[in-house]
Amino acid sequence: MAVKYFHHALKFRKEVCIGCSHCMNVCPTQAIRIQGGKAELTDNRCVDCGKCYRACPVGAIIVEQDDFSRIFEFEHRVALIPNVLMGQFPERVSINQIRSVLHELGFTHIFEVEHGTRILEGAMKEYMLRHGQRKPLISTFCPAIVRLIQVRFPGLTDNLILLKPPLDIAASYFRKKLLDEGAKNKEIGIFYITPCAAKIAAVKSPVGDDTSDINGVINMDFIFNKVYTSMKQGHTGKNACQLPSLFALQPEEMLWSLTEGESSRMPGRSLAIDEISNVIEFLEKMENEENTDIDFLELRACDQSCAGGILTSGNRFFTVERLRNQACEVKLETPENGVTDVTASMEVYRNFLMDNIRVKKVLPRSMEKLDEDMKQALLKMQMVRDIMESLPSVDCGLCGSPTCNALAQDIAQGRAEITHCIFIQKKYEQKDWLSSRESLEILKDIWGEEKFGSRKN
Amino acid sequence: MNQDSQSMHFEYNVEGGNFSRAGYASSEIKKLLKQLNVDMGIIKRTVVGCYEAEVNVVAHAYTGTIYVDLNTESITIRFQDEGPGIPDIDQAMVEGFSTASSKVREMGFGAGMGLPNIKKNADQMKISSIVGKGTTLEITMLLQ
């Protein structure tokens, strides 16, 4: 257990946590327990999907980000923005306005992440041709999904498409371009404006890759608030600074991070599935069948994909609508001046980008096993089964584990006691094996002293 | 509790004709093997064979029971069904042989790969059948 596999961007603030167990009940990998009145995270089980963040009623879970002022440590300050940022604002706010305010805030360059998708799309198609026997190939776009597969579906790690996501390609390109224009490496600060926690975790400890071209991560809600406040206060950005040539995205690039953004571009039979419980249900079924004739799977942890990221501010359905509308408008206006600019410029770097597009093998990190040693695991399995016979199977969560089965496993692994179960407590009290005072103490240990304090009585 | 602490037994019922539940037992068996920390390749082969056999019971039999015998050396899964039985097992073992109607084949089933595929994935396979009574299929996988 000592080995820590993942960096987590989600942090639990003990001093704020009220031990309500909402997070425990929504966690799709059962990574959370309640102990001493506080939520506790099992690091290696967590995949950074952010469900807990959304469920927390008191804001005890935060998403760690870099301090905004860090951007001023660099001479060249690049904001790497995913297109969903543009979908956060009301329709009357134009893309240029948003970009302009970002410049005012201090960024010297603004570059859309999705510019990385053109090169990636070609590379993915080539990859699919070469690895067609490993059907279905699974996109690595969503880092929460990559981690989910590592911990819950380790047998599918071989199906992952081992190519960098658009974010890393865009970052490599922009750094290289600035270097070639004479900038020094240490003067370049590339900051990603993230819609979710999983992307942060992936930047801080990329799966299957050791280094990152990204210097820091800033949460999208933070940027949204900055931009929106600035606009509300009259900084329209319209004449504040001259914009560099417009790097307009193509419609398919604008839509890449939405559901079906990838699957609609891939050859053969492709499926797109969003929302992590849907993904789990699907993969659970898929693991059973040997031959599926699905060629490509686009899997995203959030409902409506990145438009539903936990750090977005807008309603995800409106965001999707706006982005689709924006994509339609681009279609009508093409060809636009700047369009050829970035495409041509990235073409120059095609070989460089393609040389670095591969990531290392993604290793399975199964968290299902009861023990490394099979003999021990079998004994524990037996124990779980025996314990389950006496547990009530109501999954009330009062023991501090999310389900009866999770409690049984916790007990078998020495992390909990059978008396944590309130049904067992009642039974034991009846038989005089446990005093009512003792059982109260047990509940206090799990839920904290305060919950039994004198709030009313 | 079992007398033999080094071995565990599980049982699952299979309802003939109910395809919406087909695969349930295979998923449970997969979970067990994952908990045991069995090699992923072995799990994959077990589950593929198991799923195929489970679907066979659903497709052909009236009712069936899956008996699982699990220890650290091996897992043995016995599919015992009450159904029409298989008149000619040797023929059923031939790749491509199928009794399925063309309609069923159009749906993507009945390619005649079921039993041969199970055999291919299993470390050991035994099958016996009595026409009009039912079929018993047993597969064994070595876990080490």
Side-chain angles (χ1 to χ4, degrees):
Chain A
M1 285 318 268
V3 190
K4 206 176 161 190
Y5 294 129
F6 300 133
H7 170 95
H8 291 294
L10 292 165
K11 300 282 177 222
F12 286 58
R13 290 193 293 175
K14 281 227 148 78
E15 67 281 12
V16 183
C17 177
I18 55 166
C20 68
S21 78
H22 291 195
C23 56
M24 177 179 85
N25 293 321
V26 297
C27 177
T29 57
Q30 302 197 326
I32 300 170
R33 301 289 183 273
I34 307 294
Q35 189 52 246
K38 308 287 172 187
E40 297 218 342
L41 184 71
T42 308
D43 279 343
N44 288 343
R45 272 181 175 267
C46 170
V47 299
D48 285 287
C49 71
K51 281 232 168 181
C52 52
Y53 177 88
R54 228 182 244 125
C56 181
V58 293
I61 301 168
I62 53 163
V63 180
E64 178 191 62
Q65 64 178 327
D66 288 297
D67 194 84
F68 186 75
S69 63
R70 262 202 65 209
I71 74 166
F72 296 104
E73 292 168 14
F74 302 91
E75 199 181 319
H76 307 282
R77 302 179 287 276
V78 184
L80 209 51
I81 56 170
N83 200 40
V84 281
L85 175 64
M86 300 305 183
Q88 304 301 307
F89 299 89
E91 233 104 59
R92 60 180 187 281
V93 179
S94 77
I95 292 177
N96 278 349
Q97 260 177 298
I98 300 165
R99 298 173 61 99
S100 179
V101 176
L102 281 170
H103 276 292
E104 282 178 4
L105 286 174
F107 287 106
T108 56
H109 300 80
I110 293 156
F111 192 63
E112 282 92 354
V113 168
E114 282 81 1
H115 283 301
T117 60
R118 183 185 303 269
I119 292 218
L120 176 62
E121 187 181 318
M124 281 168 80
K125 286 175 177 165
E126 205 186 304
Y127 190 97
M128 283 176 70
L129 275 179
R130 210 171 291 166
H131 299 90
Q133 76 282 7
R134 231 176 262 159
K135 274 204 265 180
L137 288 163
I138 302 172
S139 166
T140 44
F141 177 85
C142 176
I145 294 297
V146 174
R147 289 181 173 198
L148 175 75
I149 288 177
Q150 285 184 288
V151 303
R152 265 200 76 168
F153 303 97
L156 295 174
T157 48
D158 284 340
N159 295 53
L160 290 166
I161 296 180
L162 299 177
L163 299 174
K164 282 182 181 164
L167 167 61
D168 296 74
I169 298 168
S172 305
Y173 160 74
F174 216 85
R175 181 172 295 274
K176 180 79 174 149
K177 183 171 119 41
L178 288 176
L179 286 172
D180 287 358
E181 285 169 6
K184 293 204 181 75
N185 197 27
K186 62 173 197 290
E187 296 168 352
I188 304 170
I190 298 183
F191 289 83
Y192 174 54
I193 315 297
T194 184
C196 72
K199 297 265 191 203
I200 302 178
V203 167
K204 302 284 177 185
S205 65
V207 175
D209 202 358
D210 322 316
T211 52
S212 177
D213 278 309
I214 298 152
N215 298 76
V217 186
I218 294 159
N219 294 350
M220 189 173 283
D221 54 356
F222 176 84
I223 291 292
F224 174 86
N225 290 339
K226 280 241 177 204
V227 172
Y228 209 53
T229 310
S230 156
M231 283 175 174
K232 284 278 176 202
Q233 289 170 353
H235 298 270
T236 57
K238 269 175 185 141
N239 43 22
C241 58
Q242 79 277 36
L243 288 162
S245 63
L246 184 70
F247 292 164
L249 288 166
Q250 290 293 303
E252 67 274 16
E253 296 174 320
M254 296 175 91
L255 300 176
W256 189 270
S257 67
L258 300 185
T259 305
E260 293 184 354
E262 292 173 277
S263 68
S264 63
R265 307 293 301 166
M266 291 299 122
R269 185 172 170 212
S270 300
L271 266 188
I273 297 164
D274 60 11
E275 209 279 321
I276 194 161
S277 320
N278 293 336
V279 172
I280 290 171
E281 184 194 331
F282 184 82
L283 293 181
E284 198 65 61
K285 196 145 179 62
M286 210 194 70
E287 254 190 337
N288 294 350
E289 288 171 68
E290 186 180 37
N291 304 308
T292 85
D293 53 356
I294 301 165
D295 298 286
F296 175 77
L297 278 181
E298 170 198 306
L299 307 174
R300 309 276 176 84
C302 295
D303 181 35
Q304 303 300 319
S305 294
C306 295
I310 59 168
L311 297 172
T312 56
S313 307
N315 175 293
R316 62 189 182 281
F317 301 104
F318 286 140
T319 301
V320 171
E321 184 197 27
R322 282 180 203 129
L323 294 178
R324 293 208 188 278
N325 287 344
Q326 284 168 15
C328 285
E329 282 160 28
V330 172
K331 238 179 221 167
L332 297 174
E333 288 172 11
T334 47
E336 211 175 317
N337 290 339
V339 175
T340 43
D341 254 358
V342 69
T343 314
S345 171
M346 284 194 86
E347 274 313 308
V348 174
Y349 289 95
R350 174 174 282 275
N351 288 343
F352 164 76
L353 293 171
M354 286 298 282
D355 285 346
N356 295 292
I357 206 163
R358 285 281 208 148
V359 292
K360 284 187 211 129
K361 201 168 155 45
V362 177
L363 297 171
R365 306 219 185 282
S366 173
M367 290 312 294
E368 307 280 300
K369 60 188 171 212
L370 292 171
D371 203 293
E372 288 291 337
D373 177 63
M374 216 184 278
K375 216 172 232 167
Q376 288 302 315
L378 191 72
L379 287 173
K380 286 177 182 174
M381 188 186 285
Q382 183 97 46
M383 227 173 130
V384 169
R385 194 190 205 186
D386 294 341
I387 296 165
M388 279 306 285
E389 306 247 306
S390 46
L391 293 180
S393 285
V394 295
D395 296 343
C396 65
L398 284 175
C399 57
S401 297
T403 62
C404 291
N405 196 59
L407 174 65
Q409 291 195 12
D410 287 347
I411 297 168
Q413 287 173 318
R415 291 195 299 251
E417 302 284 336
I418 186 89
T419 49
H420 288 183
C421 173
I422 194 137
F423 288 75
I424 299 281
Q425 283 175 23
K426 293 286 161 208
K427 253 196 269 181
Y428 282 14
E429 278 177 40
Q430 203 83 74
K431 291 180 179 171
D432 275 335
W433 292 352
L434 199 73
S435 70
S436 63
R437 192 200 165 86
E438 282 170 319
S439 69
L440 183 65
E441 288 304 315
I442 293 169
L443 282 177
K444 279 183 182 172
D445 281 347
I446 300 168
W447 295 99
E449 197 84 36
E450 301 87 60
K451 286 204 173 56
F452 299 88
S454 55
R455 223 188 284 171
K456 262 185 189 153
N457 272 308
Chain B
M1 212 191 275
N2 296 301
Q3 309 93 315
D4 179 4
S5 65
Q6 292 306 305
S7 165
M8 284 182 80
H9 307 283
F10 300 86
E11 259 183 60
Y12 307 94
N13 289 321
V14 184
E15 197 186 324
N18 187 355
F19 282 94
S20 54
R21 259 182 76 84
Y24 173 79
S26 305
S27 290
E28 291 298 303
I29 291 167
K30 178 177 68 189
K31 239 179 258 170
L32 294 176
L33 295 178
K34 279 186 180 177
Q35 290 181 354
L36 265 197
N37 200 20
V38 171
D39 173 79
M40 281 315 304
I42 299 171
I43 295 182
K44 183 89 201 167
R45 280 195 294 120
T46 311
V47 171
V48 166
C50 191
Y51 181 71
E52 194 91 55
E54 189 180 351
V55 170
N56 270 349
V57 175
V58 175
H60 300 293
Y62 316 127
T63 179
T65 309
I66 302 176
Y67 300 92
V68 178
D69 192 354
L70 177 64
N71 59 55
T72 52
E73 301 299 317
S74 67
I75 180 168
T76 300
I77 310 164
R78 196 169 84 241
F79 303 82
Q80 201 168 315
D81 73 44
E82 287 168 32
I86 305 170
D88 186 342
I89 288 176
D90 289 340
Q91 200 177 31
M93 289 304 301
V94 176
E95 277 190 25
F97 174 80
S98 174
T99 54
S101 65
S102 57
K103 205 166 182 188
V104 170
R105 283 169 184 249
E106 269 168 32
M107 287 165 69
F109 299 109
M113 296 303 289
L115 285 177
N117 197 30
I118 296 168
K119 188 169 185 170
K120 199 178 79 196
N121 281 290
D123 290 322
Q124 280 170 43
M125 183 182 120
K126 279 188 263 177
I127 184 166
S128 62
S129 186
I130 301 169
V131 175
K133 284 201 88 173
T135 303
T136 299
L137 171 78
E138 189 181 283
I139 57 177
T140 300
M141 308 295 299
L142 304 176
L143 301 182
Q144 300 288 346

